[in-house]
Amino acid sequence: MDNSVIELVTYKLKADATKAQLAATHSDVNAFLAEQPGFLYRSLSEDNNGLLYDIVYWQNMETAKNAGDAFMAHKAGQALVALTDENSITMRHMDAITETAACTN
């Protein structure tokens, strides 16, 4: 089995955007992702400097890139991007080198 692809997007919110506005995007963004072929997992976190880390796992590079294109055209993607400082955005796609999942008993 091939390892998955990790999409790492980092960004900061615009100066006038609030955490409440960001939180209001979560359900739509998550629903969009859940509908995408190859979607495996997403998490969003923030460091002490206000830099957000949006991490998404995909089955492969093709599904990651297809979803990225669709996201920018979708209302959920547009709503999230509208809150971000565009100069702060970085996006990377990386092949996972090794992976494991929690054991369930």
Side-chain angles (χ1 to χ4, degrees):
M1 179 175 141
D2 292 332
N3 286 336
S4 60
V5 167
I6 302 164
E7 178 179 279
L8 173 62
V9 183
T10 58
Y11 56 92
K12 288 190 172 195
L13 294 179
K14 288 180 179 176
D16 61 348
T18 67
K19 296 290 173 64
Q21 289 173 306
L22 177 63
T25 69
H26 296 330
S27 62
D28 287 344
V29 169
N30 290 340
F32 167 84
L33 290 171
E35 295 173 351
Q36 301 309 300
F39 171 73
L40 301 173
Y41 179 82
R42 176 191 186 219
S43 67
L44 178 64
S45 59
E46 182 180 17
D47 69 15
N48 293 336
N49 297 314
L51 187 63
L52 293 150
Y53 296 80
D54 208 334
I55 304 169
V56 183
Y57 281 76
W58 297 98
Q59 280 182 330
N60 55 49
M61 191 65 72
E62 180 181 5
T63 57
K65 292 194 177 205
N66 289 342
D69 292 340
F71 185 70
M72 296 308 293
H74 193 274
K75 66 177 181 149
Q78 293 168 358
L80 178 57
V81 170
L83 298 175
T84 63
D85 172 359
E86 292 183 25
N87 294 321
S88 72
I89 300 170
T90 63
M91 178 183 227
R92 298 172 187 87
H93 286 103
M94 304 162 279
D95 291 322
I97 294 172
T98 185
E99 301 177 281
T100 190
C103 295
T104 58
N105 295 334

